[in-house]
Amino acid sequence: MATEGGETVNLDTLSVQQLTQVKNQLDQELEHLTASFTQLQAAQSKFRDCLRCVQGGKSSALKDNKPVLVPLTNSLYVGGTLSSASHVLVDVGTGFYVEKTLKSAAEFYESKMSDVGGSLKELEVIVQGKTNNVRVIEQVIRQKMVSGS
């Protein structure tokens, strides 16, 4: 098995206690990576929702100076007036908003979805590798327990 430093460790030379420690460490890493994976999926879902909203903004029903409901929270809306049907405010992170055209906003959200999707694929490979390492360690632990070493 390869460690973070890139060196290979022969699992047969480790004691059951050492193998258990390595397994516990890998379990903690897997828990953290799985939580990160879930957060990335949630972010990708939010970008997908934003993209759908921006693409839905091309409707002919949207007109300048039309009354609209503006969401302040998930359950609180206030009345407002649509000042421009061809521009939207895009949250670019850490509370900063940028005014963009509908096309530019759609491109922004597509790019974000693509970036997050790539990160998800990379993280999935890492999680699978660590999961395989845990399985191998569990197998070696079982073999050592059966043989009484």
Side-chain angles (χ1 to χ4, degrees), residues 47-112:
F47 288 136
R48 189 177 297 115
D49 290 344
C50 290
L51 178 61
R52 195 171 344 117
C53 288
V54 168
Q55 289 172 336
K58 298 174 184 173
S59 169
S60 60
L62 290 178
K63 298 177 180 147
D64 290 348
N65 298 321
K66 181 179 179 182
V68 294
L69 289 176
V70 179
L72 295 181
T73 67
N74 286 337
S75 61
L76 179 63
Y77 292 79
V78 295
T81 304
L82 187 62
S83 64
S84 172
S86 61
H87 290 83
V88 292
L89 288 177
V90 175
D91 183 355
V92 294
T94 62
F96 288 97
Y97 292 86
V98 175
E99 185 174 333
K100 292 182 175 275
T101 63
L102 292 175
K103 181 181 177 187
S104 176
E107 290 170 355
F108 173 80
Y109 287 123
E110 286 170 354
S111 170
K112 286 291 188 181

